[in-house]
């Protein structure tokens, strides 16, 4: 009785049927070698795996199929095609597929087994270096002076390498390595006044020469241009085509700089749509045509010479990128170990003193913020700083700036008319400098209005840096107003604000100047009450944490006198400086005469704008600070007593007064303030004593609301006897 047979499989190759997923990766050239060798020896491979081996039958070999209960030879192997097939199984394929099924292996396993059986190395043999191209360098008359050979793959495991031969192609380093490629064609083009294209390598030069262009390059490409190369192009009309990478752009800038004094004309042509790290050959492969290139060359030669500007942008971009990569892991490791110093060494060293741009407010080369809620004259204050720096006058009539220095302002929201009126009004309002100083300052103040800039885009930043560097004198301060229009990130996301902060520091370092930016603060809502200074800046605290100095405007009190056409703006100012003693908290008053829009601190034009420093508001703020310290002293003392006697919530006021140093009147006032929501309540006890009840939870909430800690909750610390 015949054994039951399973239904035949559909007609598919065994490879398709049996291949299994595997994480193992065998190089493609190794797989191809195994396929080729196993196909040639498929009779041996399969014959060892079938019962009774294979027997020749005509042009094929036959045998018993091991994949079903074969009684008559149904397996057929065709050595000419390197294939096998079994009709009952409806299976077939190559030797690798057979071994997969017969040896129960996945595809990589079958390849490895066959490679071992057939002696095929699993590691590809490195290809032997071969000469891929030869470049013959000539003199002006066409005589060969040296031959450069391009090897692919290169020697020493490199993708490519080069070597030199003399004119007779014998080994040696000829003088040709110091000349220009295809020099005889270049010399003829100079004589005829035709343009010469400069590219970065012989391969590109030959490709363009075959299209009818006169092209040259120097040996070794980027960074190897010499004075001799420059001399050979004296009087030439030159168009430089840079590769699209940093090295290529720098090389093009160097070539343009070198040729500018000696060439008849030199232009740089950045090919549109050139892929990253691509060259002119890649541009042609991507669809650029010879006619397109001729048109672009003609257009480049017809335009005004902008090589200086392009060079400036390239160098600014390199500086921006150099600073941006200065904090990578590789760069940090390259800087070596951190040099710690002992306190004794610090005390013995001559440390630099704090240098001020504006004494008590902004240090030199600081990243500084002017923040505030609406109607606190932020833009006016930013421009007041710029004017005071340019005149050598005093900010708010109080804070010194030193010798006059240039200042630059980049104002996104304000037009030229408003800006002119404001700056002139602020200049005229400075009574601490004379007319000559004001006239000189007008030339030191450089302004750009209603333009766009994305600080986090390196090309935008490089263009801005190059533009500032073109000013007659480098500015000591750059004002950016407002910050919200100078980036595309989300203000409440710390990662986005970290990028903005990094860009501001890059700008500061590359320009070697202070950067002052204007930023908004949240309005005085219930959640904002009690917050001080930079804590009220809008968005992520990452921005506040990154600045070196700040002026924070709050408590605006603005009035308008229509009769005298005067707007008076008052605000409290809290200053902070990381590397120096700040001016603390003070008051500022701005009187604007002839305001075009009454009370509008962001748009009003004026005839004169005068700032004054208010010591009275500073004294008021100092008084408020002292009152808060008294409250903290009372709460700390109560906390100490409460911790010592947790089961007795009432504490005699007489004991409290003695505990805090006997300042009865001040303590009584502090207690009265705290009884209105500070976790303290009063009651009259025996013999006229006043008893206080203390609620730790309410006290903590009071302090947190009055002066929130951005890094955690408020904490009241009792220290025993506290002295005012």
């Amino acid at each position: 009785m015949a054994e039951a047979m399973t239904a035949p499989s559909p007609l598919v190759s065994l490879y398709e049927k049996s291949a299994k997923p595997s994480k193992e990766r065998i190089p493609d050239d190794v797989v191809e070698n195994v396929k080729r060798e196993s196909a040639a020896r498929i009779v041996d491979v399969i014959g060892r795996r079938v019962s009774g081996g294979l027997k020749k039958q005509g042009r094929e070999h036959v045998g018993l199929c091991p994949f079903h209960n074969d009684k008559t030879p149904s397996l057929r192997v065709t050595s000419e095609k390197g294939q096998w097939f079994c009709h009952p199984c409806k299976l077939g394929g190559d030797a690798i597929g057979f071994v997969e099924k017969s040896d129960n292996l996945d595809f990589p396993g079958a390849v490895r087994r066959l490679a071992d059986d057939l002696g095929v190395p699993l590691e590809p043999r490195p290809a032997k270096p071969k000469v891929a191209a030869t470049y013959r360098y000539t003199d002006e008359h066409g005589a060969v002076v040296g031959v450069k050979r391009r090897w692919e793959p290169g020697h020493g495991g490199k993708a490519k390498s080069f070597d030199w031969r003399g004119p007779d192609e014998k080994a040696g380093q000829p003088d040709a390595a110091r000349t220009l490629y295809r020099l005889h064609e270049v010399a003829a083009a100079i004589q005829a006044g035709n343009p010469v294209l400069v590219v970065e390598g012989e391969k590109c030069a030959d490709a363009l020469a075959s299209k009818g262009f006169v092209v040259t390059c120097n040996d070794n490409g980027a960074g190897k241009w010499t004075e001799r190369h420059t001399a050979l192009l004296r009087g030439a009309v030159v168009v430089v085509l840079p590769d699209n990478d940093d090295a290529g752009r720098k090389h093009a800038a160097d070539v343009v700089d070198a040729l500018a004094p000696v060439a008849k004309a030199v232009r740089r042509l950045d090919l549109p749509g050139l892929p990253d790290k691509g060259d002119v050959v890649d541009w042609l492969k991507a669809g650029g045509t010879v006619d397109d290139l001729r048109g672009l060359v003609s257009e480049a030669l017809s335009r005004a010479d902008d090589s200086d500007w392009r060079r400036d942008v390239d160098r600014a971009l390199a500086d921006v990128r150099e600073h941006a990569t200065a904090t990578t892991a590789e760069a940090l490791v390259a800087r070596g170990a951190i040099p710690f110093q002992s306190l004794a060494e610090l005390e013995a060293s001559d440390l630099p003193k704090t240098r001020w741009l504006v004494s008590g407010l902004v240090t030199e080369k600081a990243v500084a913020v002017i923040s505030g809620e609406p109607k606190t004259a932020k833009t006016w204050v930013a421009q007041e700083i710029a004017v005071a720096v340019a005149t050598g006058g005093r900010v708010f009539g109080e804070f010194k700036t030193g010798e006059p220095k240039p200042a630059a302002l980049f104002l996104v929201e304000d037009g030229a008319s408003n800006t002119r009126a404001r700056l002139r009004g602020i200049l005229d309002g400075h009574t601490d400098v004379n007319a000559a100083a004001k006239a000189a300052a007008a030339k030191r103040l450089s302004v750009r209005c209603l333009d766009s800039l994305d600080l986090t885009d390196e090309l935008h930043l490089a263009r801005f840096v190059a533009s500032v560097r073109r000013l007659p004198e480098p500015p000591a301060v750059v004002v950016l107003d407002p910050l919200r229009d100078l980036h595309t990130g989300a203000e409440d996301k710390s990662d986005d604000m970290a990028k903005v902060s990094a860009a501001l520091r890059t700008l500061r370092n590359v320009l070697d100047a202070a950067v002052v930016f204007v930023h908004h603060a949240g309005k005085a809502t219930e959640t904002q009450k009690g917050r001080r200074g930079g804590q009220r800046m809008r968005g992520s605290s990452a921005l506040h944490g990154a600045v070196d100095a700040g002026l924070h405007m709050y408590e605006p009190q603005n009035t308008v006198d229509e009769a005298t056409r005067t707007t008076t703006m008052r605000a409290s100012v809290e200053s902070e400086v990381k590397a120096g003693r700040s001016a603390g908290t003070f008051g500022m008053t701005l009187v604007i005469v002839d305001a075009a829009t009454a009370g509008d601190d962001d748009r009003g034009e004026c005839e004169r704008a005068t700032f004054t420093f208010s010591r009275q508001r500073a004294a008021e703020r100092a008084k408020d600070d002292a009152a808060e310290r008294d409250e903290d002293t009372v709460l700390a003392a109560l906390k100490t007593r409460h911790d010592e006697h947790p089961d007795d919530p009432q504490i005699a006021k007489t004991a409290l007064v003695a505990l805090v140093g006997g300042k009865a009147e001040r303590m009584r006032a502090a207690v009265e303030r705290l009884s209105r929501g500070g976790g303290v309540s009063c009651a009259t006890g025996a013999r006229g004593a006043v008893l206080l009840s203390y609620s730790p939870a309410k006290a903590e909430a009071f302090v947190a609301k009055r002066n929130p800690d951005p890094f955690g909750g408020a904490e009241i610390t009792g220290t025993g006897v506290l002295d005012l």
Side-chain angles (χ1 to χ4, degrees):
M1 182 177 178
E3 288 187 30
M5 298 292 293
T6 58
S9 304
L11 184 60
V12 294
S13 74
L14 185 61
Y15 171 75
E16 292 171 347
K17 179 180 177 63
S18 61
K20 302 173 183 177
S22 173
K23 295 182 179 179
E24 185 176 10
R25 180 75 173 89
I26 298 177
D28 292 341
D29 52 352
V30 172
V31 174
E32 290 303 317
N33 289 340
V34 171
K35 282 185 177 181
R36 185 169 52 252
E37 188 66 22
S38 63
R41 298 166 60 181
I42 191 170
V43 173
D44 293 336
V45 170
I46 295 178
R48 293 197 299 270
R49 288 172 168 80
V50 300
S51 178
L54 297 176
K55 295 180 181 179
K56 186 171 179 59
Q57 190 178 87
R59 299 175 64 181
E60 297 178 331
H61 286 74
V62 298
L64 297 174
C65 177
F67 308 132
H68 74 279
N69 190 15
D70 197 4
K71 300 299 184 181
T72 59
S74 55
L75 175 66
R76 296 183 177 275
V77 180
T78 305
S79 58
E80 291 179 358
K81 297 180 179 180
Q83 296 286 311
W84 63 274
F85 188 76
C86 175
H87 283 282
C89 292
K90 302 298 184 186
L91 294 175
D94 60 10
I96 297 176
F98 192 93
V99 172
E100 280 189 81
K101 188 166 181 65
S102 66
D103 295 20
N104 193 28
L105 299 169
D106 61 5
F107 180 75
V111 171
R112 285 188 170 278
R113 181 158 294 179
L114 279 172
D116 186 57
D117 291 346
L118 302 174
V120 177
L122 285 171
E123 297 298 329
R125 295 187 180 94
K128 185 178 180 181
K130 294 181 180 179
V131 175
T134 56
Y135 308 116
R136 288 176 170 78
Y137 277 65
T138 64
D139 63 14
E140 294 91 332
H141 308 292
V144 176
V145 294
V147 178
K148 182 178 179 180
R149 299 188 301 181
R150 177 189 182 103
W151 295 79
E152 291 182 2
H155 295 89
K158 298 179 180 178
K160 62 182 178 181
S161 63
F162 300 90
D163 65 8
W164 278 93
R165 292 290 186 270
D168 54 2
E169 299 200 20
K170 293 182 179 180
Q173 180 78 0
D175 191 53
R178 299 175 55 224
T179 191
L180 288 172
Y181 187 50
R182 307 181 77 98
L183 183 58
H184 61 295
E185 297 172 1
V186 171
I190 295 174
Q191 188 70 25
N194 294 328
V196 176
L197 307 187
V198 175
V199 294
E200 203 171 305
E202 295 90 354
K203 184 177 180 180
C204 288
D206 283 351
L208 291 185
S210 69
K211 308 293 185 183
F213 295 93
V214 177
V215 200
T216 190
C217 67
N218 60 287
D219 177 40
N220 284 335
K224 303 298 181 182
W225 191 266
T226 68
E227 292 182 2
R228 181 170 179 178
H229 299 136
T230 299
L232 292 171
L233 288 174
R234 181 177 294 276
V237 176
V238 180
V239 177
V240 182
L241 279 66
D243 288 358
N244 191 21
D245 54 27
D246 287 344
R249 286 185 285 270
K250 185 179 185 306
H251 177 66
D254 291 342
V255 173
V256 169
D257 283 350
L259 292 177
V262 301
K264 183 177 180 181
V266 58
R267 299 290 186 272
R268 169 176 159 174
L269 172 57
D270 290 283
L271 295 171
L274 186 63
D276 190 39
K277 300 185 182 302
D279 54 31
V280 65
V281 172
D282 298 315
W283 183 81
L284 291 170
K285 289 179 180 178
T289 67
V290 172
D291 289 341
D292 291 338
L293 184 56
R294 291 191 188 281
L296 290 170
V297 169
S298 297
E299 181 183 340
L301 290 172
S302 65
R303 69 174 181 244
D305 186 1
D306 63 352
S307 56
D308 287 347
W309 167 244
R310 290 174 175 270
R311 175 204 63 201
D312 291 348
V313 172
D314 282 342
R315 290 183 174 172
L317 181 60
D319 289 343
V320 166
R321 287 176 171 171
E322 180 182 2
H323 177 80
T325 58
T327 55
T328 62
E330 182 178 352
L332 290 173
V333 170
R335 288 165 61 182
I338 299 173
F340 284 92
Q341 289 182 287
S342 68
L343 175 58
E345 290 172 327
L346 287 175
E347 290 176 334
S349 61
D350 186 15
L351 297 176
K353 295 182 179 180
T354 300
R355 298 177 65 88
W356 294 97
L357 179 73
V358 181
S359 180
L361 300 183
V362 182
T363 51
E364 286 187 354
K365 303 172 188 177
V367 174
V369 60
I370 298 173
S371 74
E373 59 191 76
K375 308 302 180 184
T376 52
K378 299 180 295 296
T379 293
W380 285 98
V381 170
Q383 295 182 19
E384 159 73 354
I385 289 175
V387 168
V389 168
T391 60
R394 294 176 178 243
V395 174
F396 306 147
E398 176 72 16
F399 303 103
K400 297 179 181 179
T401 59
E403 292 297 318
K405 307 175 188 70
L409 301 96
F410 191 85
L411 311 175
V412 180
E413 293 183 335
D414 289 323
S417 177
N418 281 348
T419 300
R420 177 185 60 189
R422 279 191 179 185
L423 291 174
R424 174 49 60 187
I426 295 171
L427 269 172
D428 291 344
H430 265 268
T431 58
D432 54 338
V433 294
N434 58 34
K438 293 177 182 179
K443 297 179 180 179
R444 296 190 190 99
L445 288 164
S446 302
V447 183
R448 178 61 182 171
C449 301
L450 300 177
D451 206 338
S452 60
L453 170 64
D454 182 357
L455 291 169
T456 59
D457 184 299
E458 64 179 13
L459 290 177
H460 277 234
L461 198 58
R463 175 174 173 263
F464 183 79
V465 168
S467 301
V468 173
R469 285 175 170 175
R470 286 195 155 203
L471 295 175
E473 295 181 85
V477 59
V478 176
V479 174
L480 304 173
D481 182 13
L483 185 67
R484 70 183 178 202
D485 293 332
L486 297 173
H487 64 88
T488 56
E491 289 185 340
D492 59 344
K493 292 186 177 179
S494 60
D495 288 347
D496 288 353
M497 289 301 97
K499 293 177 183 178
V500 173
S501 300
L504 291 168
R505 289 192 295 270
T506 295
L507 195 61
R508 181 264 313 274
N509 293 341
V510 172
L511 292 178
D512 199 30
V515 176
V516 176
F517 65 94
V518 175
H519 190 52
H520 295 281
K523 294 183 179 180
T525 62
E526 284 299 320
T527 57
Q528 292 279 11
K529 284 183 179 179
R531 293 190 180 182
R532 300 285 296 279
Q535 293 174 344
R536 290 185 59 179
M537 285 172 56
R538 197 169 66 187
S540 169
S541 60
L543 188 62
H544 176 223
V547 299
D548 305 307
L551 292 178
H552 307 290
M553 326 288 292
Y554 60 102
E555 297 176 355
Q557 297 177 10
N558 303 331
T559 59
V560 178
D561 188 336
E562 298 289 354
T564 60
R565 297 175 297 126
T566 300
T567 298
T568 302
M569 307 181 70
R570 295 182 175 86
S572 294
V573 183
E574 185 170 327
S575 66
E576 58 177 346
V577 180
K578 285 185 178 178
R581 184 174 180 179
S582 76
T585 302
F586 56 89
M588 177 230 42
T589 301
L590 168 62
V591 178
I592 307 168
V593 179
D594 194 24
T597 304
D600 188 346
D601 65 87
D602 289 327
R603 292 289 182 268
E605 292 191 5
C606 67
E607 293 178 358
R608 185 174 66 257
T610 305
F611 286 88
T612 55
F613 170 81
S614 172
R615 297 186 182 279
Q616 181 178 359
R617 289 180 71 89
E620 291 172 355
R621 171 52 60 187
K623 183 178 179 181
D624 291 342
D625 290 344
E628 288 187 3
R629 287 195 298 271
D630 287 346
E631 292 167 4
D632 290 342
T633 298
V634 170
L635 290 174
L638 288 173
K639 181 178 185 299
T640 299
R641 295 293 296 272
H642 180 271
D643 291 345
E644 292 172 352
H645 306 283
D647 298 329
D648 181 9
Q650 292 189 331
I651 305 169
K653 184 177 179 181
T654 53
L656 170 65
V657 171
L659 184 67
V660 297
K663 310 293 184 182
E665 292 302 320
R666 286 173 53 182
M667 291 306 101
R668 184 179 296 107
V671 167
E672 289 175 357
R673 290 193 299 272
L674 290 170
S675 66
R676 295 191 291 269
V680 177
S681 60
C682 304
T684 303
R687 299 179 183 176
V690 177
L691 303 180
L692 303 180
S693 296
Y694 168 68
S695 169
K698 289 183 178 180
E700 295 281 354
F702 172 81
V703 175
K705 186 175 182 180
R706 189 193 65 197
N707 187 23
D709 179 358
F711 302 104
E715 181 180 358
I716 302 169
T717 304
T719 58
V721 177
L722 301 178
D723 194 351
L724 293 174

